[in-house]
Amino acid sequence: MKLGMWLDAVRRERPLVHNITNLVVTNIAANALLSVGASPVMAYAHEEVGEMASIAKALSLNMGTLTPDVVTAMRIAGRAAETKGVPIIFDPVGVGATAYRTQVATDLLRDVDVTVLRANAGEMSVLLGLAGEVKGVDALQADEALPTAMKHYALASSAVVIATGPVDLVTDGHTTWQLSNGHPLLAAITGSGCMLTALLGAFVGVVPEGSPLSTYAEACVAAITSYNVAAEQAAQKALGPGTFHMALFDCLYNLDSRAVDASAGVEVTGA
Amino acid sequence: MKLGMWLDAVRRERPLVHNITNLVVTNIAANALLSVGASPVMAYAHEEVGEMASIAKALSLNMGTLTPDVVTAMRIAGRAAETKGVPIIFDPVGVGATAYRTQVATDLLRDVDVTVLRANAGEMSVLLGLAGEVKGVDALQADEALPTAMKHYALASSAVVIATGPVDLVTDGHTTWQLSNGHPLLAAITGSGCMLTALLGAFVGVVPEGSPLSTYAEACVAAITSYNVAAEQAAQKALGPGTFHMALFDCLYNLDSRAVDASAGVEVTGA
Amino acid sequence: MKLGMWLDAVRRERPLVHNITNLVVTNIAANALLSVGASPVMAYAHEEVGEMASIAKALSLNMGTLTPDVVTAMRIAGRAAETKGVPIIFDPVGVGATAYRTQVATDLLRDVDVTVLRANAGEMSVLLGLAGEVKGVDALQADEALPTAMKHYALASSAVVIATGPVDLVTDGHTTWQLSNGHPLLAAITGSGCMLTALLGAFVGVVPEGSPLSTYAEACVAAITSYNVAAEQAAQKALGPGTFHMALFDCLYNLDSRAVDASAGVEVTGA
């Protein structure tokens, strides 16, 4: 599988990614998208989110600091995106930490037709009804049955399902990818998962309309691998989480698509 | 024209700049102001924005992630600033991207007496009724008739009008300045225009009360040139957008006012 | 007094710190907590703040960009924290700058049982009814009578009271600590006080339940000293406020608890 070609496509097409994200990562999600060559827009007003989502190439929804107002904005934007065939990425940050978060995530997944569902392994375990554990917004523990549960959910919902962690799992229900790139310093900066959620919008945003779900999954694998290879490069230049964070933007910006292919640690298993 | 003296004045007087800005740039707008020697305050509550704007030396309004609540705050603060003679800078981020943004920008410009109007060239084209194009919050295309339209608008509204891009245009209706400093990496970080909008508050905030509009224009030319010269210096130390961003704060902080005068690329044309 | 052991405890226990903070520092407060080894969560929805505060080890309240909605969230979270014995840190950012801020700070201190009250010296002077001065959110001037007033307030409210500045004052009403670590570059980045307020949550979050107030004060002394020693180290690697900011996260992450003890500038005086 060629992954670097997806990075090239992002840089060539500069897809507009509409983000409804949390207050912690607003700035860095935009910078991650710019660094990789995409065009970010953040818009929250109920008066405009539908129109903005309609002209975007992808809609990235992140419930990190959700409020009822933001949830309403996500629903309006989601409906507009569905109507126009704009793919939707959803990140149920901190699901399981409070009853409200679990309710909102469950409701949104029922009402909005999500193309990509991304969470860390602990959150995904909780969301799929397994015995995961979430402390605040940090994943503590994933469940052993997670890969199988993710496949079932992907098939039932026709979505790409992604659980990130030391090893990242991506499945479209038929094929599962295990991705081993990345670096522990990603866990030492806030919003490293949220930046990935934003980047998934960029890569999914260049998938030709009407492609099968497996193509969206492949774009997701390319997004995660690009991000994680950049993180590996950034860690080599970093003295700690502060310099790592800035080097991460540098390395995303300078990332060679051939290096993505050369460094990719991807293992594929059938369904 | 001496520009560096305006930077010296900002550092000497440390003007309080009240910002009502967007969620993407709240932190970096404050840091840009601190780096240049000004005193930033961010305040949004309807209960206090009037009082805060009244004690500020400038009010900087940026509609990047506007909501009806924020727009109301802008109106209250704007009215208080007008009453006290506090200059107002307005940045209609993303005007033209959605009908709501265009409506809000038009209404605010009708109702609030703006001293400085800053937008990128694409946004300014849309705002002045020309054939510009806006994608999300990124300018795509300016109109050839832009300089003339800006002059007319400046005269009609008694405001300094600024369109930024590879070459920045500043006009008070009588004189037009073309500014050629800057660096392409500014386009690779989010909020580079918004940071400038905040900095315009600092420089306009040290213009003596009762000065003619041409003096405010000169302070704006000094703000833009200082920012862009710092960006040129920062780019020399940067490996990409992450390290550029941090170097930009360093270079603003260390910027020599004589270097601003020595490096300034300013071309003046009569009206 | 051993201070480094508190840093070790934070890293060992990774306390969950629930922050209701301002829009300027949301990202950097979370990163400061992660850098020091704690687990940050930001949550604002009235629907969940009570539950989130209940499971946290500390609740850090910061009114930097307060709105009525955020103030309500602080009250709900504060009540839940009190019920569960979760210590509360309160930072009345900009108190005295507007009547609204002063009212909110006064009301919250009356209604919520705060364990740690932190402000800069100017704000603290205003809050305690002395002749301080506040410009926007910057402290201009503290009052000579401040140390005595702080002791009285600490005794009356059974809280640790902290006024930061070139020399930081910490008192539990019986003992007063004067802390001389730190670096002027802290004043050149926005939110340096707010990051400390977040970090106080991490250190107070590892104080064993039922400890006397003097133990909470000691944890606060350790938090401030750790932060300020990291700032001293960061300044040696910095070329200005941008690189200082990133080095500060690096140095917090790499901070040796023995270096905290070795570098600590702490002077203790009886009540």
Side-chain angles (χ1 to χ4, degrees):
Chain A
M1 185 167 57
K2 289 289 213 181
L3 298 176
M5 55 167 272
W6 290 102
L7 177 61
D8 293 334
V10 168
R11 287 173 175 158
R12 199 169 52 238
E13 301 182 25
R14 301 188 66 77
L16 181 68
V17 181
H18 178 193
N19 301 273
I20 299 181
T21 188
N22 69 67
L23 297 174
V24 184
V25 305
T26 326
N27 179 270
I28 61 175
N31 272 328
L33 285 166
L34 279 172
S35 292
V36 84
S39 179
V41 69
M42 275 62 186
Y44 302 88
H46 301 171
E47 288 81 359
E48 70 167 352
V49 286
E51 191 178 349
M52 195 67 93
S54 300
I55 59 169
K57 294 296 180 192
L59 172 65
S60 181
L61 304 176
N62 174 310
M63 67 176 218
T65 52
L66 79 179
T67 61
D69 260 6
V70 169
V71 174
T72 301
M74 288 184 181
R75 287 178 179 281
I76 298 172
R79 212 158 302 146
E82 282 174 20
T83 304
K84 292 277 184 172
V86 174
I88 301 170
I89 298 93
F90 178 53
D91 186 341
V93 178
V95 65
T98 64
Y100 179 59
R101 276 174 199 254
T102 304
Q103 191 61 51
V104 166
T106 309
D107 289 354
L108 273 172
L109 281 171
R110 187 193 57 215
D111 298 344
V112 174
D113 191 10
V114 161
T115 309
V116 180
L117 172 65
R118 189 210 78 84
N120 61 44
E123 290 163 346
M124 189 63 80
S125 298
V126 170
L127 194 62
L128 300 185
L130 305 174
E133 199 183 338
V134 173
K135 181 177 97 170
V137 292
D138 287 341
L140 288 190
Q141 190 69 43
D143 193 283
E144 277 186 14
L146 185 58
T148 305
M150 284 171 60
K151 271 195 272 190
H152 289 161
Y153 190 87
L155 285 174
S157 63
S158 297
V160 179
V161 180
I162 302 172
T164 50
V167 170
D168 308 303
L169 292 178
V170 179
T171 186
D172 62 2
H174 299 286
T175 308
T176 296
W177 293 263
Q178 292 195 34
L179 313 180
S180 57
N181 293 105
H183 195 275
L185 273 172
L186 284 169
I189 58 173
T190 194
S192 55
C194 302
M195 284 193 282
L196 176 57
T197 295
L199 289 179
L200 287 167
F203 283 71
V204 159
V206 296
V207 172
E209 259 198 270
S211 298
L213 194 63
S214 58
T215 309
Y216 286 93
E218 194 183 307
C220 291
V221 170
I224 299 168
T225 302
S226 298
Y227 184 60
N228 282 340
V229 168
E232 291 169 5
Q233 295 176 351
Q236 294 187 345
K237 304 184 176 186
L239 300 170
T243 46
F244 172 71
H245 208 333
M246 294 306 110
L248 183 55
F249 293 132
D250 285 358
C251 292
L252 280 171
Y253 184 80
N254 295 316
L255 190 59
D256 186 332
S257 56
R258 291 162 304 184
V260 174
D261 284 323
S263 312
V266 180
E267 197 181 312
V268 189
T269 56
Chain B
M1 186 166 58
K2 289 292 213 178
L3 299 177
M5 55 168 272
W6 289 102
L7 177 60
D8 293 333
V10 168
R11 286 172 177 161
R12 200 169 51 238
E13 302 183 24
R14 301 189 66 79
L16 180 68
V17 180
H18 178 194
N19 300 273
I20 299 180
T21 189
N22 69 67
L23 297 173
V24 184
V25 304
T26 326
N27 180 269
I28 60 173
N31 273 327
L33 284 167
L34 279 173
S35 293
V36 84
S39 179
V41 69
M42 274 61 186
Y44 303 86
H46 300 171
E47 288 80 357
E48 69 166 353
V49 285
E51 192 178 349
M52 195 66 94
S54 300
I55 59 169
K57 294 298 180 191
L59 172 66
S60 180
L61 305 176
N62 175 308
M63 66 176 219
T65 52
L66 78 179
T67 60
D69 260 6
V70 169
V71 174
T72 301
M74 288 184 181
R75 287 176 178 283
I76 299 171
R79 213 159 300 146
E82 282 174 20
T83 304
K84 293 278 184 173
V86 175
I88 301 170
I89 298 91
F90 179 53
D91 186 341
V93 178
V95 65
T98 64
Y100 178 59
R101 277 175 197 253
T102 305
Q103 190 63 50
V104 167
T106 309
D107 288 355
L108 273 173
L109 283 170
R110 186 194 58 215
D111 298 344
V112 175
D113 191 9
V114 162
T115 309
V116 179
L117 172 64
R118 189 211 78 85
N120 62 43
E123 291 163 347
M124 189 62 80
S125 298
V126 169
L127 193 63
L128 300 186
L130 305 174
E133 200 183 337
V134 173
K135 181 177 99 170
V137 292
D138 288 342
L140 287 189
Q141 189 71 41
D143 193 282
E144 276 187 16
L146 185 59
T148 305
M150 285 172 61
K151 272 194 272 189
H152 289 159
Y153 190 86
L155 286 174
S157 64
S158 297
V160 179
V161 180
I162 302 172
T164 51
V167 170
D168 307 304
L169 292 178
V170 179
T171 186
D172 62 2
H174 300 288
T175 308
T176 297
W177 292 261
Q178 292 195 32
L179 314 180
S180 56
N181 293 105
H183 195 276
L185 273 172
L186 284 169
I189 58 173
T190 194
S192 55
C194 302
M195 284 194 281
L196 176 57
T197 295
L199 290 179
L200 287 167
F203 283 72
V204 158
V206 296
V207 172
E209 256 198 272
S211 297
L213 193 63
S214 59
T215 309
Y216 286 92
E218 195 183 306
C220 291
V221 170
I224 299 168
T225 302
S226 298
Y227 183 60
N228 283 339
V229 168
E232 291 169 5
Q233 295 176 351
Q236 292 187 347
K237 303 183 178 186
L239 299 170
T243 44
F244 172 71
H245 207 332
M246 294 306 110
L248 183 56
F249 293 132
D250 285 358
C251 292
L252 280 170
Y253 184 79
N254 295 315
L255 190 60
D256 186 331
S257 57
R258 290 162 304 183
V260 175
D261 285 324
S263 312
V266 179
E267 196 181 312
V268 189
T269 55
Chain C
M1 185 167 57
K2 289 291 213 179
L3 298 178
M5 54 168 272
W6 290 103
L7 177 61
D8 292 333
V10 168
R11 287 174 176 158
R12 199 169 50 238
E13 301 182 25
R14 301 189 66 79
L16 180 67
V17 181
H18 178 193
N19 301 273
I20 300 181
T21 188
N22 69 68
L23 297 174
V24 184
V25 305
T26 326
N27 179 269
I28 60 174
N31 272 328
L33 284 166
L34 280 172
S35 293
V36 84
S39 179
V41 69
M42 274 62 184
Y44 302 88
H46 301 172
E47 288 80 358
E48 70 166 352
V49 285
E51 192 179 349
M52 195 65 95
S54 300
I55 59 169
K57 295 296 181 192
L59 172 65
S60 181
L61 306 176
N62 174 309
M63 66 176 220
T65 53
L66 79 180
T67 61
D69 260 5
V70 170
V71 174
T72 301
M74 288 184 182
R75 287 177 178 283
I76 299 171
R79 214 159 298 146
E82 282 175 21
T83 304
K84 294 277 184 172
V86 175
I88 302 170
I89 299 92
F90 178 53
D91 186 341
V93 179
V95 65
T98 64
Y100 178 59
R101 276 174 198 254
T102 305
Q103 190 63 50
V104 166
T106 308
D107 289 355
L108 273 173
L109 282 171
R110 186 194 59 216
D111 298 344
V112 175
D113 192 10
V114 161
T115 309
V116 181
L117 172 64
R118 189 210 77 87
N120 61 43
E123 291 163 346
M124 189 62 81
S125 298
V126 169
L127 193 63
L128 300 185
L130 306 174
E133 200 183 336
V134 173
K135 182 177 98 170
V137 292
D138 288 341
L140 288 189
Q141 189 71 41
D143 193 284
E144 277 186 14
L146 184 58
T148 305
M150 285 171 60
K151 272 195 270 190
H152 289 159
Y153 190 87
L155 285 174
S157 63
S158 297
V160 179
V161 180
I162 302 172
T164 50
V167 171
D168 307 303
L169 292 177
V170 179
T171 186
D172 62 2
H174 299 287
T175 308
T176 296
W177 292 263
Q178 292 196 32
L179 314 180
S180 57
N181 293 105
H183 194 275
L185 272 171
L186 284 169
I189 59 173
T190 194
S192 55
C194 302
M195 284 192 282
L196 176 57
T197 295
L199 290 178
L200 287 167
F203 283 71
V204 159
V206 296
V207 172
E209 256 199 271
S211 298
L213 193 63
S214 59
T215 308
Y216 287 93
E218 194 183 307
C220 290
V221 170
I224 299 168
T225 302
S226 297
Y227 184 59
N228 283 339
V229 169
E232 292 169 5
Q233 295 175 352
Q236 293 187 345
K237 303 184 177 186
L239 299 170
T243 45
F244 171 71
H245 208 332
M246 295 305 110
L248 182 56
F249 293 131
D250 285 358
C251 292
L252 280 170
Y253 184 81
N254 295 315
L255 190 60
D256 186 331
S257 57
R258 291 162 304 182
V260 174
D261 284 324
S263 312
V266 179
E267 196 181 312
V268 188
T269 56

